[in-house]
Each structure stands twice: as C-alpha cells, then as structure tokens.
Amino acid sequence: MLGYNINKVNEIILGISRMQYGLNEEQEMIVSTVRNFVEKEIYPHEDLVDRTGEVPKEVAQEIKRKTLELGFYACNFPEEMGCAGLNHLEFALVERELGRASMALNHFFGRPQNILMACQGDQIDKYLKPALAGEKMDALAMTEPGAGSDIRSMSCTAKRDGRDWVVNGSKHFISGADHADFIIVFIATGEESTPHGIKKKITSFLVDRGTSGFVIRDGYKSVSHRGYKNMILEFTDCRLPNSQVLGEVDGGFDVMNEWLYATRITVATMSVGRARRVFDYALDYAATREQFGQKIGKFQGISFQLADMITEIDAADLLTLAAAKKLDTGGFANREIASAKLFASEVLGKVTDQAIQIYGGMGLMDDLPIERFWRDARVERIWDGTSEIQRHIISRDLLRALGA
C-alpha cells in the first residue's frame, strides 16, 4: 500500500501540468475523474487478471457499463456523434490516467478506433453508432508474421471477384480481437512502383466475427500485459462484399498513417501514466524502508535515482502533452509524436528497472506489482512502431527540411 505522502507528491505533479498547459477546471476534472475511476474500478481486479490471464466477463461488462454512465465511453469521438468530443490534449490526459492500470481491464473503458469516422452509408448504423454506444467492440489488424514495421510488404491479399473481394492470408499480434464483434483489417489489394521498389496498395475492410472463411484464434503467450491477448486472424477464400470497404479502395495506407498518430500518442501517454504509478511505489518504499538505521531514501545512491526518475517522467509528460497540443492547433506533429513515443516508452523501461533496483530482491517477487510493471513495460518500445522506427521518423523529418 502507498502512504499518504504520495497523494501530496501527485498534487505537486498535477500542479506542474496546470502551470505548463493552463489546464482549465474541466480538464482538471477529467484527470481526477479518470484517476478515481481507475483506482476504484480497475486496480482491485489487476492481481486476478495477471494471475489467470483472463478478464472475467462480468468484470469487463461492469467496467464498460460504468464508463458509459460516466459519459467517457468513446470520449475520443466528436460531440455531434453523441460523445464527449475531447480534443487531443484532453484525450491524452484520459489515456495517461488509464495507463496507470492493467491494459486488459482499461480496454473496456472503451475507445473505438477513430478511423471508424470514415464509415459511410449503411456502415454508420451497422458499425460506427453501435461502437460508440458500447453495443459492439472493434479491433484493428495490420501486423503479419512477415510484415511488422514494413506494413507495405504485407502478404494478406484481397482480389476482386465480381462485386466481391476474396481474401486469403493471416494477421497476428491483433490486440482486442478476442472481444471484438468486428475487425478493421488492412489488406493488400494491388501493387505499385515506388522509388523504393514495388509496394503494396492497401485497403481497409470491415470484417464481422463469424464471416465465412474468417477465423479468430488464440495467439502467442506474452509476458507483457497478461489478459490483454494478442490473436491470430486467418482468411481462407473469405468473401467480402464491396460494401465492407472502409474508405477508398487502395486508400488504406493514407488512413493508416492518419490513425497511427493517435496510437503513438496513446503509447506515450500510457507509458507516462504507468511510469508515475511505478515511481509512486519506489518513492514510498524509499521513504519507509530502513537499512543501517535509516530510511534508504537518505542514501545518495537511492535519492539520486529518484531524482533522475521524476525528472525524466516529467520530461516525457511535457513532451507528450506538447505533441497533443500541437495537433489541437492544427500543426503537423509527426516528429513531435514520434519523439514522445520514443522517449516516454524508453523512460518507462528505465523507471521500472530502477524501481526493482530500489526494492531489491522483493521487487522481483510476484507478491508485489513491481515485477508486473517491469514485464509490461517491455512491449511499449516495440508495438505501434519500434524505437528504431521512431528514430527514423524523427531524423527523416529533420533532414528533409534541409533537402537531405
């Protein structure tokens, strides 16, 4: 359990965000509301989920129901759709607080993929509206066994057959597909010549669970985020009508790039939230644990670690909020978002490792959540674009301005 002093520290940290970004009363309420929800509705179930690797159905439904009552379900969608209509900065604040909690559980807080705004005609009533109302859950599928970071080398293909498309191939590492009623799947629908060789044209499709020729099966067992399963999708002569195309045929890559803005900010904000929670544990332990007749926090080896941890967490927080705010002002924030994702995910890795060092041997025991935070942190530097990909985006953006 954490001591009362942590609440005081968090008040100071929140004050820094207020000063830097002038959070108004409503935005401060967003932070406190989501923080309280996470602590009350999600924390109590984390040990069970980590131990069993499963989210009980009744727990998932209860989190979803209470999120709907709170008015935060699909809060990343505009007010004209009946949602909260949070801007990028406000949504980053929500995701930061959710990042403190188990991914498997906060999944049911409900943030549908924002590319569902590309729905047209009958797709609006069949997919968009039910997703926003919590009546249907979606998932998104891009990654394949042979096409991770190089999305345009994917081999899952859709070929025209009259008014339909016939899909063959597979996807893996698909988070949330175990609960999804439909999947937004990016599939190769042709080829084109580029300065870098032949690349695939990509189209996004809406695929319902239970569609003939489409199977969702269990994926790999991961050490990170137990209960937040990755699934494998298999397509065998799966026939999809043209009405299942989301957006334009061969326009999926443009949609994908636009959507990846949101996912990279999400990874950054959640990494910051989790890093703050880990820091709370480390700080509290350093202030209460005694060795050699004094609190271990008085030893310079520990106190300097705490100083480095909070400095880097604050820096990651401000970097992430700055990227979100730039999006709100209409700015092109590709580099800033990549920097936030890169820095925040790597800070989380360092902070969780340092927390274990402060706890010593007990930090690696599953009696405490520290080893879980450490395990969970590792994937953040991989999914939604590896650290190497983020460095590529950043450097390319800098050099391009100089014609290099």
Side-chain angles (χ1 to χ4, degrees):
M1 295 296 290
L2 300 179
Y4 69 90
N5 55 322
I6 296 302
N7 292 328
K8 183 62 178 177
V9 170
N10 283 325
E11 286 177 14
I12 294 171
I13 291 168
L14 182 57
I16 293 172
S17 294
R18 290 188 190 122
M19 288 185 290
Q20 290 288 333
Y21 287 95
L23 298 187
N24 58 38
E25 186 176 342
E26 183 177 342
Q27 290 167 336
E28 291 178 14
M29 187 176 296
I30 288 171
V31 173
S32 61
T33 299
V34 179
R35 174 81 62 85
N36 290 337
F37 185 95
V38 164
E39 291 176 349
K40 181 180 177 182
E41 306 297 341
I42 297 182
Y43 283 5
H45 305 291
E46 288 182 328
D47 288 343
L48 174 65
V49 171
D50 193 64
R51 188 172 66 253
T52 65
E54 301 286 343
V55 178
K57 186 175 181 180
E58 62 275 12
V59 171
Q61 292 303 314
E62 189 69 359
I63 292 172
K64 182 190 289 189
R65 182 184 67 79
K66 290 182 177 179
T67 305
L68 284 162
E69 288 179 354
L70 201 63
F72 273 85
Y73 202 92
C75 61
N76 52 322
F77 280 77
E79 289 184 71
E80 56 264 31
M81 300 302 300
C83 303
L86 302 186
N87 61 29
H88 290 287
L89 176 60
E90 291 164 346
F91 188 57
L93 296 173
V94 170
E95 296 282 65
R96 186 182 69 187
E97 298 311 313
L98 290 176
R100 290 175 166 269
S102 160
M103 285 283 287
L105 291 160
N106 74 34
H107 174 66
F108 296 97
F109 196 86
R111 289 92 72 210
Q113 311 295 338
N114 56 11
I115 62 171
L116 285 174
M117 287 297 290
C119 285
Q120 301 175 14
D122 292 341
Q123 294 175 348
I124 294 173
D125 288 330
K126 186 176 180 182
Y127 298 104
L128 176 58
K129 290 182 178 178
L132 302 188
E135 296 165 2
K136 287 185 177 181
M137 295 196 75
D138 62 284
L140 187 137
M142 291 185 288
T143 306
E144 298 180 8
S149 298
D150 185 9
I151 296 297
R152 295 191 71 181
S153 68
M154 63 175 57
S155 58
C156 183
T157 60
K159 295 183 178 180
R160 282 192 182 274
D161 183 17
R163 296 173 62 87
D164 295 342
W165 297 85
V166 178
V167 183
N168 283 283
S170 65
K171 301 286 182 180
H172 75 165
F173 294 154
I174 309 306
S175 304
D178 48 333
H179 302 291
D181 299 286
F182 66 94
I183 319 287
I184 304 161
V185 188
F186 289 87
I187 303 173
T189 47
E191 293 182 338
E192 63 181 343
S193 296
T194 76
H196 304 288
I198 300 297
K199 296 291 184 181
K200 302 293 177 65
K201 295 179 180 179
I202 298 170
T203 302
S204 56
F205 291 84
L206 297 161
V207 186
D208 293 307
R209 176 183 291 274
T211 298
S212 179
F214 174 49
V215 175
I216 303 173
R217 66 179 180 85
D218 288 343
Y220 316 99
K221 189 173 182 179
S222 174
V223 300
S224 293
H225 302 301
R226 288 176 181 167
Y228 188 63
K229 298 181 180 180
N230 66 87
M231 308 298 285
I232 293 173
L233 313 184
E234 295 176 340
F235 298 88
T236 306
D237 292 331
C238 176
R239 187 172 290 272
L240 300 174
N242 201 57
S243 60
Q244 298 303 106
V245 171
L246 179 63
E248 301 296 326
V249 172
D250 297 335
F253 192 64
D254 292 335
V255 175
M256 186 189 304
N257 277 338
E258 181 178 352
W259 177 80
L260 282 176
Y261 274 104
T263 59
R264 292 202 302 270
I265 286 185
T266 291
V267 173
T269 54
M270 286 195 164
S271 292
V272 170
R274 198 166 303 119
R276 288 212 185 279
R277 185 178 177 192
V278 174
F279 178 78
D280 288 350
Y281 275 95
L283 179 62
D284 191 66
Y285 191 76
T288 55
R289 170 72 166 167
E290 291 191 6
Q291 289 285 279
F292 304 103
Q294 63 179 334
K295 304 292 191 294
I296 64 171
K298 290 185 177 294
F299 294 111
Q300 191 176 83
I302 301 296
S303 64
F304 278 21
Q305 284 192 70
L306 294 170
D308 289 342
M309 290 162 77
I310 195 59
T311 299
E312 292 196 321
I313 293 169
D314 283 345
D317 200 358
L318 297 177
L319 186 62
T320 302
L321 294 180
K325 190 169 185 178
K326 187 170 184 181
L327 283 181
D328 284 330
T329 59
F332 184 70
N334 203 28
R335 177 177 63 81
E336 289 83 355
I337 293 168
S339 294
K341 198 274 185 185
L342 168 66
F343 189 68
S345 62
E346 295 200 346
V347 164
L348 175 61
K350 286 190 281 186
V351 167
T352 53
D353 190 73
Q354 288 171 319
I356 285 180
Q357 198 68 21
I358 290 170
Y359 269 81
M362 281 305 298
L364 288 168
M365 303 300 109
D366 62 10
D367 299 72
L368 298 171
I370 309 302
E371 60 87 24
R372 168 164 59 85
F373 298 142
W374 183 55
R375 283 187 280 108
D376 290 349
R378 189 60 187 88
V379 73
E380 309 298 341
R381 286 172 275 165
I382 297 174
W383 61 10
D384 292 305
T386 63
S387 291
E388 291 74 21
I389 290 293
Q390 305 312 315
R391 288 184 168 93
H392 174 68
I393 292 170
I394 296 162
S395 59
R396 184 181 61 186
D397 187 81
L398 294 170
L399 292 168
R400 183 181 290 149
L402 300 176

